[in-house]
Amino acid sequence: MSEEIISKEQLEERYKKIVIRTEETVNPFSGKKEKRTVVDLIHDGSIYYVHIEFSPFGTTYSGDMGCFMFQPGYGIGTFKDTRINPCYWGEKIKAAGQEYFIRDFDMQNVDRAYKEEILQHYEYEWEEEYFEEAKKAWEMSDDDFKKWYEIWHEREDEEDFAEEVERVRNAGKPSDYSDRDSEESAYDAVEAAAEQAGLHWDCESIGYISKQGEEDDYRFLYACCVLQWVANKIVNKEK
């Protein structure tokens, strides 16, 4: 779930009162005086109030829709754009009032990321002709692959290639090794699938693939939409 969950038109309708003020502060790293932008978004009802601060200390977002603190260096310029970037922004969160990922995993996304890593790995590993041949073999039916394997395995100096293609194909997807949809089982499932495929990926690669199954929390996506909307307002106001 990475799409925008509320449009700028809806935000304009929701927050009729927007208070933006600029204060002077001292950059703790350089000792120089810099500005700090403070924003309050007021909703007519009792919910959806948001308080945002853009400062040298980083960006802080708090209110009825969660609390998030982004690391120093990520301010207005980070969030202004035409589309939200929750995956990248989520990596820059220094602290949060609650978990900003739902701890449910979509193993289909993990399988997709695993396949992409497999293809990227062998695209660099093999010559184009072999890579394209392997891609076709991985998508064949069992009967067709059996014929393909026999032909390639009988060719001189092609036994290793045929066996590696077979090993990756037979290893299956991470979802084949997952007992439940959780962070731990997703990591273990990717590791097991890679091991069966004869791939010795490091923890970073396996962790990256397993993380693709995480879904962003509704509150965090809402914060992303608000941060972008506010950042664009400030930038346009300063022009």
Side-chain angles (χ1 to χ4, degrees), residues 32-139:
K32 296 180 180 179
K33 290 184 178 180
E34 293 185 17
K35 68 176 182 178
R36 178 175 76 115
T37 303
V38 181
V39 183
D40 287 294
L41 305 180
I42 314 298
H43 182 252
D44 290 339
S46 60
I47 59 174
Y48 300 126
Y49 166 73
V50 172
H51 178 82
I52 302 171
E53 294 186 18
F54 298 102
S55 79
F57 297 94
T59 295
T60 58
Y61 174 104
S62 60
D64 296 301
M65 295 301 288
C67 302
F68 307 98
M69 179 182 290
F70 297 84
Q71 65 191 48
Y74 291 85
I76 295 171
T78 301
F79 301 106
K80 69 175 182 67
D81 209 338
T82 56
R83 292 185 63 81
I84 63 173
N85 192 355
C87 183
Y88 176 69
W89 296 348
E91 293 175 355
K92 308 307 172 186
I93 290 179
K94 189 175 181 181
Q98 64 176 37
E99 291 286 1
Y100 57 93
F101 285 116
I102 300 171
R103 290 307 172 186
D104 289 328
F105 278 74
D106 183 346
M107 289 305 295
Q108 285 187 333
N109 287 339
V110 175
D111 286 346
R112 191 178 300 115
Y114 177 77
K115 183 177 180 181
E116 289 172 358
E117 285 291 304
I118 288 279
L119 293 175
Q120 187 177 56
H121 173 83
Y122 283 106
E123 187 174 16
Y124 291 132
E125 189 81 8
W126 291 337
E127 295 177 9
E128 184 178 356
E129 178 186 354
Y130 285 95
F131 175 63
E132 293 300 326
E133 190 64 39
K135 278 203 301 182
K136 287 189 292 184
W138 288 327
E139 299 295 334

Side-chain angles (χ1 to χ4, degrees), residues 80-233:
K80 69 175 182 67
D81 209 338
T82 56
R83 292 185 63 81
I84 63 173
N85 192 355
C87 183
Y88 176 69
W89 296 348
E91 293 175 355
K92 308 307 172 186
I93 290 179
K94 189 175 181 181
Q98 64 176 37
E99 291 286 1
Y100 57 93
F101 285 116
I102 300 171
R103 290 307 172 186
D104 289 328
F105 278 74
D106 183 346
M107 289 305 295
Q108 285 187 333
N109 287 339
V110 175
D111 286 346
R112 191 178 300 115
Y114 177 77
K115 183 177 180 181
E116 289 172 358
E117 285 291 304
I118 288 279
L119 293 175
Q120 187 177 56
H121 173 83
Y122 283 106
E123 187 174 16
Y124 291 132
E125 189 81 8
W126 291 337
E127 295 177 9
E128 184 178 356
E129 178 186 354
Y130 285 95
F131 175 63
E132 293 300 326
E133 190 64 39
K135 278 203 301 182
K136 287 189 292 184
W138 288 327
E139 299 295 334
M140 289 177 182
S141 66
D142 290 342
D143 289 339
D144 287 340
F145 179 73
K146 186 176 180 180
K147 296 173 185 175
W148 180 94
Y149 179 81
E150 289 173 355
I151 292 171
W152 278 86
H153 199 264
E154 290 175 1
R155 292 182 180 180
E156 188 177 354
D157 298 328
E158 303 293 5
E159 299 95 333
D160 290 345
F161 170 67
E163 289 172 4
E164 192 159 11
V165 172
E166 181 187 42
R167 188 164 54 245
V168 173
R169 176 188 166 88
N170 291 345
K173 310 179 293 292
S175 58
D176 297 334
Y177 299 88
S178 178
D179 295 327
R180 64 191 190 284
D181 293 338
S182 69
E183 182 178 18
E184 292 76 15
S185 67
Y187 185 97
D188 293 340
V190 174
E191 187 174 37
E195 184 178 336
Q196 289 297 314
L199 297 169
H200 304 290
W201 284 337
D202 57 23
C203 293
E204 186 175 345
S205 297
I206 294 171
Y208 164 75
I209 297 169
S210 66
K211 288 286 184 183
Q212 301 314 298
E214 287 182 333
E215 295 185 351
D216 293 315
D217 178 70
Y218 174 86
R219 289 187 173 202
F220 178 58
L221 288 176
Y222 187 92
C224 289
C225 293
V226 171
L227 283 166
Q228 183 181 76
W229 178 62
V230 168
N232 285 332
K233 274 188 173 295

